Every structure is written in structure tokens, then in C-alpha cells.
Amino acid sequence: MLGITWAEASTRVSGTIEVRTRDTARHTWSTWLRLDGDSGEGERGASRGGTTPAWVGPSDGVQVRMSSGASRRLPEGLRLDMIDPGGTTSAMEPAGFLMDPVDPTGEADPTGPADATGTADATGPATTDAPADTASPDPSSTRTSGPSSGPTDSAEPTRTQTQPSTGSASPSPTVSAPDPASPTATVPPAPPSTAPRPPITSREGWGADESISPEEPGYLPGGRIKAVVLHHTATSNDYTCAEAPALIRAVYAYDVQQLTWKDIGYNFLVDKCGTIYEGRKGGVDRPVMGAHAYGFNSETTGIAVIGDYSGIAPSKEAMTSVARLAAWKLGQYGVDPTGTTTLTAGASGPNYFRQTWDAGTRMTLPVIHGHRDGYNTVCPGDAYYAMLPTVRAWAGGTVEGLKLDSVTGTGVSGTTVLTDTAVTVKWSASTPAALVRQYDVLVDGEVAATVAGTASSAEVNLAPGTHKVSVRGVHQSGRTAITEDVTVLADPAPALTPPAATTTPTAKATTPAATVSPTSPASPTAKATTPTPTASPTTKAPTPADTTPPVFSTQPNLALRTGTVSTTAVPLTLKWKATDTKELKEVRLTAPVARTYGPTVTSASLTAKSGVATTWRMTAYDRAGNARSASVSGTPVILQESAATRTGTWTSKSSSGYLGGKSYSSSTKSSSLTWTFTGRSAALVVSRAATSGQVYVYVDGKKTATVDLRTTTTKYRDAIWATTWTAAAKHTVKLVVVGTGGRPTVTTDGLVYLK
């Protein structure tokens, strides 16, 4: 692991800092890796600033290049810090230094190329140190300029710090001034939590060398955690989970021995396999003061996922562990993971979204938020930041995506089931099982069976007659979600045996699960294996007198809806209504995806690819096996903001988060964008943040809505407003900037219409 540090902890580098390394096995140079020029200034009293560290793996050569950026000056006391967390000593010494020409004032030429292959003193003349002058620095030769709250820089800022292991000495002694906001005299209690504690690997487990951070831990001044700040370490994703302890040891050494913090900055770390590690010492069950969110350390705990999640999201295993850990820590203090909280800024500053505040300002933030919400950093990466709503829901919401997949008895599946007295109920959910307390099978609203959160099926016995069956998921937070009811007709009469034997192949596959239930009074397996052919697998209860098929009293139709838009997933609502003269059994969506809906369901939230004509086919079935089909076709079309007629002042913005990579932004009141199209539904797509303003929406020249783009959680490609007409026709949709006081800016990302 390596990083670049400099003399002042508060110094920011506005230019670029890049490194590349030579692999010890292949002897080839890597591509240039850009380092974040600010480590986060996480520890009060730290004597050095620096970049985020980079894990580069086994290497025997390194090159660094950096430019000063807008400041026109490189920071003083530059040093390349290299760390080997494996405990072996290796002579890592610079081969030389190079700096671009400087003007007589000592300032680097801003017009010249920034291609230094090492570090240099920005205030002195250009120098080139020969290899013979690059001996490892001697700690005894370090000069100081008088008393200070922390160690001062070495007299030779261009020398490389060799750090062979987490326990090796460093020229910069690990001493930092006490944090006035973190008392250490009294150890606060470890309150019980409303959520279960996940497994946590101790500091001893990842090999922390306690000798390099002898200071006592500090604790939050209020004694309680109000929020969880999520981070990524910005190191490589190319590591095995067995290497995770080495990465943590390297981060620990960098924070303590190079940045001169008193301990590793994060309270907890999580690897991509979901293993949770104790970070800063003081007790995982206590409110330990970390150094992870400058200005907001005194009321928060920090969780970092090891890796760089700018372009890819963390693994489900990592996100599950983050959600479990956040729920447990917040549950100790009765804080809702899905809510918001008010934090008092301990220092002035801006965040990533250009929101600024002064020290002492009370800030409203999501209880679980990203580092960028409270500091000007890209952390925890764009892809991870977009997943924060999912982490919040997993930590403290209901059981997400819960649906009843099937109810099987004697081999008949569907939303209306004919059976004897035993049915097997199967369900699925998107919330990880580790966050689900239990599932309850409800029969006529009463609990008939309870199974663990890891289960996905259960068997229940029914009394003769008609029943309503559903599944309730109980999240570890206590919040519940319930599926739609399924009608089940239980009748143990022998006359039901012949139809029961006409099982479909799918039903046969599900019935073996019924044999494992100790509550089953009969053997469904024996029934399922009776090979009686059938001409119609949909015929469940033959009623020869009923030959009238169902009808679609409301033909299937499509409409755009709100939600996140992408070229492969435009949010749609499919609506219909089917009826039958006797009893409607179910409605099946057969294309482009397969879904089965109960007789009372009349709509579904779906997505479709943009620019692709898609036909949605549905078939309604009644209890007698009669069927009727219907379909609807539509093509979602994305119109970029550049396709609109513009008035006023608009600025083009570029980001991979926008549709097509660009968007338009305006803070000028009455600036407008107008789209004209032929279709039957439309939706406005915008980007939203806490500082976003409002827009007026005009449809065919008439003002129809005032839409507020403000949101506590930043969102990209968000369809925030939608409308639908009874038939396709030519329409115009116009967006007008309101010029909201204090937050006039709106950022649009186009319009979607349904052709």
C-alpha cells in the first residue's frame, strides 16, 4: 500500500496525483491510478495531510506524478509513503526526483506539463536527487521548529518513507493532540440493541499491532450514536477475502504512522465477502469516536467497505453486512435506520453537492448517509451511493419484494387452489434472510405456521372449506410486509382425487418439499406420482356447464410511472381488469415476462427497454379452465434535453450518472424547455439533490403541476412526474424554472414518452 503525504493536515491539492507500480511477478508497469488528494482530515491534531491510500499488491517499483492545479503550488513536505503489511523488510528507495521548471518566484509554471515522476519541495528550486542521496531517513535526524501539538515534518521532505510492517518505526512519531470533543476518562455503557449483533472479527483477528497506537480510545461526547456514515476505502477491488486483513493492517499503518492519527479512522470495515472487522479500538459495542467524517465524527460511527465503488456497487454480501451492522449499532440508541437525524457541524465546510455550512450549523441528514453528504469527497463512490436507499431499507424497513410464489396442494398451483387439507406455501423476498426475523403463514388472517427468516416455504393444514392464504414477513426491526391473499378451496372428499392426480410438471417439482413437514397428515408425494394424463393442465375443477370464458372489461393498457430511468429499464404500469360470469381464477402475463396475478389484481409495476417496441400479452382463466387473451404494445422513447426547445439560460453538465452522459441545468427564473411528441403517456426525468429547486409543468399550454425537485438523497435519472392520456396524440410538455429562493437550480435529464 502507498500514499502521498505532506506537511499540513489542512492542505488540499486541487491538481492531480497519480501513481503507477511495477508488478513483482510480471515486471510490468500498471496503468496510472489517480489518488484522491484529500485523506478526509479525519483526526484533530494530526500533523500531516495526505491522499487516500492505494493498495497495489506486491510491487518493486513506483512512480508518482502530480500537478499543483489551481493553487499553482505543490504542498510543502511531500513524502511518498510505502507500506508492507506482511511483516517483511524490503529496501524501497526512490531512484530519483524530477520537477518541472519553476519561475523566479518559486511557483511552478501552470502552463507546463505536470509529469513529475516523484515528489519535490514546491517552494524551492527544481532539483534532481541522485540515487546516492536517497538513503532511508534516520528518525534521529528529524528536525523540529519548536513545540507543537503534533510532530513536524522531516528536514528532508523529498525522502521516501520505508514502512516495512505495521510495527516499524516511522520518522513521524505517532502523537496527536487530544481531541477536545472525545473524552477518554469515562468509558460509556454498551446498551443492548433492538437488532441482533452480527459476527465481528476483532482487532486481534486481523493482526492489529497495538504498540503503534498506544493512546486510549475516545468516545462520543454525548455518549450515543445518531447516524452511520458509509465509506469505501478507495483501494483496489482486486483482492481476495483472505487478503482483507493485510489491507486493513496497511490502512491502519498509513493512518497512524503516516497521517499521524492515533488509530485507524474507521470504526468498522467490511470486505467484499461480507466479513465485518473491528476498526478503531474502544469496544465494538460502545460509541467510539472515529476519524472518518471530518466535522461530524462526534455523533456518528463509520463503516467502510474495502474497495473502490465508483463504477461498480459493493457485493450483496458486503451490503448485507453493512445493513446488519448499521441496524445493530443504531438499535443500541433507538435510532430508526430509515429516518433522518439532525447533526451539529463541528467544523465549517462544503460537501460534494456544493452545500456549505459554518461550524455549529445544525444539519438534517439521513440516519444512514454517505461520506459525500457531509464532506467534499466522492466517497463512497457513485455506484455505492446509488445503493444507499437499499441499505437503509434492508437495515430498518419492511421485508422488501415479498411475494407469494405458489400454493401447492395435490399438484395444482396458482392463486386459487383445489386441495385436500394440506398445502405447501412458497414465497420469495429481496431483503436478505439475515435481516428477516421470521415468516408467518396466515390463513384467514390468523397465524397457521411460523418459520425462520431463512425459510422460503412452509406447509399448513386447512379445515374443509374456502380460505384466504397469505405470507407475512417480519423484519428484524419488527416492521412487517404481507403478500396478497390466495384463495384455497380445501375439500378432503374422495371425488377430488382424480383431478388431484393431474399434476403439472411444475407441481410435481414442488410437492417433495411437502414431505419434509412433520405436520403433514398425509403423503402428498404419493398423490403427485400418480401418472394420470390430462388434456388440460389448467382444468382444476371441471364444470361442464360453464363454457363462457372470462372477459377483459378493461383492456390491458400501459402508462409511464415515476422511478429511476435507464435505457434498459423505463418504469411502466400495466393495467387491466378481467371478470367472469362464475369465478375468475387468475390472470397470467405471458410475454415479455411471465407473471401470475390473483383475480383481484388489476395493475403491475414493470419496466421496458427504451426504443424497443414491446408487446405485453395476458391471459385470464376462470375456475372451469376457460381462457381469454389480450395484449397491448408500446415503445418507451427517451428524448434528451437537447431535443427540447430552450428559452433562458441553460448549462450543459456531463456525468456518467445522466442519461446519455449529459444534462441541462439552470438557475435562471422562467428559463424553459419544451418537448413535442406523439404518444399517450409522458414522464419528466431530472436529477435531484438537497439544494434542488422547483419547476412548473405545462401540458399542451396549460399549467398542470408545480414539482419540487428537492430530496434528502441525491438521485439521478429520476422520473419525478408523469401523465397519461386516453389515446395517443400530439402533445407538448413544458418545464419552467420557478427560481426558488435559496435553491433556484434545477437539473433536467430529458423526457420519456410512450409511443
Side-chain angles (χ1 to χ4, degrees):
M1 181 167 285
L2 57 83
I4 312 299
T5 60
W6 45 80
E8 297 295 333
S10 60
T11 299
R12 304 287 181 271
V13 176
S14 59
T16 59
I17 305 175
E18 296 174 298
V19 300
R20 67 175 182 175
T21 54
R22 188 174 59 195
D23 183 89
T24 56
R26 296 186 300 270
H27 303 291
T28 56
W29 287 95
S30 68
T31 58
W32 288 100
L33 172 67
R34 182 165 179 173
L35 303 183
D36 189 337
D38 177 12
S39 62
E41 200 179 14
E43 188 87 277
R44 294 180 185 272
S47 65
R48 292 187 69 80
T51 66
T52 53
W55 177 263
V56 296
S59 307
D60 62 5
V62 58
Q63 290 184 337
V64 181
R65 65 184 185 189
M66 60 191 298
S67 64
S68 57
S71 67
R72 300 184 65 194
R73 298 181 69 89
L74 293 172
E76 296 183 2
L78 282 170
R79 191 175 73 205
L80 167 63
D81 294 306
M82 296 179 284
I83 300 168
D84 173 7
T88 59
T89 301
S90 56
M92 299 182 291
E93 305 213 355
F97 301 90
L98 173 70
M99 185 173 180
D100 288 336
V102 295
D103 63 24
T105 66
E107 296 183 338
D109 182 1
T111 63
D115 193 25
T117 57
T119 56
D121 182 352
T123 61
T127 61
T128 301
D129 291 349
D133 298 327
T134 58
S136 299
D138 181 357
S140 63
S141 67
T142 302
R143 295 186 300 170
T144 60
S145 54
S148 69
S149 60
T152 58
D153 303 317
S154 168
E156 186 60 53
T158 61
R159 289 180 177 173
T160 299
Q161 169 61 35
T162 300
Q163 178 56 52
S165 72
T166 56
S168 299
S170 170
S172 297
T174 306
V175 179
S176 59
D179 190 333
S182 48
T184 59
T186 303
V187 177
S193 178
T194 56
R197 170 177 163 169
I200 302 173
T201 300
S202 67
R203 288 169 63 91
E204 181 181 6
W206 55 261
D209 180 356
E210 302 295 359
S211 68
I212 68 172
S213 58
E215 289 188 56
E216 292 297 316
Y219 297 94
L220 305 190
R224 65 189 306 268
I225 293 168
K226 298 175 66 176
V228 172
V229 184
L230 301 186
H231 306 261
H232 68 169
T233 61
T235 56
S236 171
N237 298 319
D238 188 20
Y239 68 92
T240 67
C241 293
E243 292 176 313
L247 269 78
I248 298 172
R249 291 195 300 271
V251 173
Y252 175 47
Y254 184 74
D255 286 355
V256 172
Q257 296 180 304
Q258 317 309 333
L259 296 179
T260 67
W261 297 358
K262 68 180 183 181
D263 197 351
I264 192 170
Y266 306 117
N267 296 97
F268 301 92
L269 298 97
V270 179
D271 68 24
K272 60 186 178 183
C273 292
T275 303
I276 302 173
Y277 300 87
E278 177 184 10
R280 181 162 285 215
K281 64 187 173 188
V284 294
D285 53 357
R286 302 182 190 278
V288 176
M289 181 87 158
H292 59 94
Y294 181 73
F296 298 97
N297 286 319
S298 62
E299 296 176 298
T300 65
T301 192
I303 305 173
V305 180
I306 301 172
D308 183 350
Y309 299 103
S310 301
I312 62 170
S315 67
K316 185 176 181 179
E317 292 80 5
M319 290 177 54
T320 299
S321 292
V322 169
R324 295 179 68 188
L325 180 58
W328 174 61
K329 291 303 296 180
L330 294 170
Q332 289 186 287
Y333 307 96
V335 181
D336 180 4
T338 65
T340 59
T341 188
T342 300
L343 305 178
T344 302
S348 60
N351 66 7
Y352 180 75
F353 308 105
R354 289 180 168 75
Q355 182 183 11
T356 59
W357 56 84
D358 295 324
T361 302
R362 292 173 62 80
M363 306 281 293
T364 299
L365 293 167
V367 167
I368 297 177
H369 60 270
H371 190 190
R372 64 173 61 180
D373 290 315
Y375 194 75
N376 187 19
T377 175
V378 298
C379 182
D382 289 346
Y384 188 11
Y385 191 81
M387 299 301 295
L388 261 55
T390 299
V391 174
R392 297 183 190 111
W394 286 0
T398 60
V399 179
E400 296 278 302
L402 178 62
K403 64 177 181 177
L404 200 160
D405 294 327
S406 66
V407 178
T408 61
T410 54
V412 179
S413 64
T415 56
T416 302
V417 176
L418 184 65
T419 182
D420 48 22
T421 57
V423 292
T424 300
V425 184
K426 294 189 174 185
W427 60 87
S428 59
S430 58
T431 297
L435 292 151
V436 181
R437 181 188 302 169
Q438 66 189 50
Y439 287 105
D440 300 322
V441 178
L442 307 180
V443 177
D444 300 326
E446 299 295 327
V447 177
T450 297
V451 294
T454 54
S456 59
S457 68
E459 185 174 277
V460 296
N461 295 313
L462 305 175
T466 302
H467 303 278
K468 297 291 186 181
V469 177
S470 60
V471 176
R472 177 173 64 196
V474 183
H475 191 273
Q476 67 177 21
S477 66
R479 292 173 172 165
T480 60
I482 302 177
T483 66
E484 297 175 355
D485 289 333
V486 170
T487 302
V488 178
L489 177 58
D491 188 348
L496 297 180
T497 301
T502 61
T503 58
T504 64
T506 301
K508 288 182 182 178
T510 60
T511 51
T515 64
V516 301
S517 173
T519 62
S520 176
S523 176
T525 305
K527 295 178 183 179
T529 56
T530 306
T532 303
T534 177
S536 173
T538 61
T539 301
K540 310 304 185 296
T543 54
D546 182 9
T547 59
T548 305
V551 297
F552 280 95
S553 53
T554 300
Q555 288 292 312
N557 62 87
L558 296 167
L560 295 172
R561 61 180 173 88
T562 58
T564 303
V565 176
S566 71
T567 56
T568 58
V570 175
L572 293 171
T573 299
L574 175 64
K575 297 182 179 181
W576 70 90
K577 185 174 183 181
T579 57
D580 187 69
T581 55
K582 296 291 185 180
E583 182 181 353
L584 183 69
K585 175 186 177 294
E586 63 192 15
V587 177
R588 299 180 189 175
L589 176 63
T590 58
V593 293
R595 301 281 190 274
T596 300
Y597 303 103
T600 60
V601 179
T602 58
S603 67
S605 296
L606 302 161
T607 61
K609 291 183 179 180
S610 68
V612 177
T614 304
T615 299
W616 304 80
R617 295 185 175 88
M618 310 193 77
T619 303
Y621 295 90
D622 64 13
R623 292 281 287 110
N626 301 304
R628 187 182 299 274
S629 299
S631 65
V632 61
S633 297
T635 306
V637 178
I638 296 175
L639 292 177
Q640 299 286 356
E641 58 283 348
S642 56
T645 301
R646 300 188 298 277
T647 66
T649 302
W650 293 90
T651 302
S652 177
K653 301 174 67 176
S654 298
S655 170
S656 59
Y658 302 132
L659 288 172
K662 291 186 177 181
S663 68
Y664 278 169
S665 179
S666 179
S667 303
T668 305
K669 182 178 180 180
S670 298
S671 293
S672 70
L673 296 175
T674 304
W675 292 270
T676 302
F677 55 91
T678 299
R680 68 179 309 269
S681 187
L684 278 174
V685 185
V686 299
S687 289
R688 307 172 63 193
T691 55
S692 297
Q694 298 172 310
V695 295
Y696 297 132
V697 180
Y698 291 79
V699 177
D700 297 331
K702 182 179 179 180
K703 182 180 176 182
T704 60
T706 300
V707 182
D708 196 337
L709 276 57
R710 184 176 187 175
T711 179
T712 56
T713 303
T714 301
K715 297 181 179 180
Y716 293 93
R717 308 185 309 280
D718 191 20
I720 193 175
W721 169 92
T723 189
T724 301
W725 299 272
T726 56
K730 187 175 182 179
H731 297 283
T732 62
V733 172
K734 182 179 181 180
L735 173 152
V736 179
V737 178
V738 174
T740 313
R743 50 184 183 96
T745 304
V746 299
T747 301
T748 94
D749 205 7
L751 177 138
V752 182
Y753 75 92
L754 192 60
K755 189 167 84 174

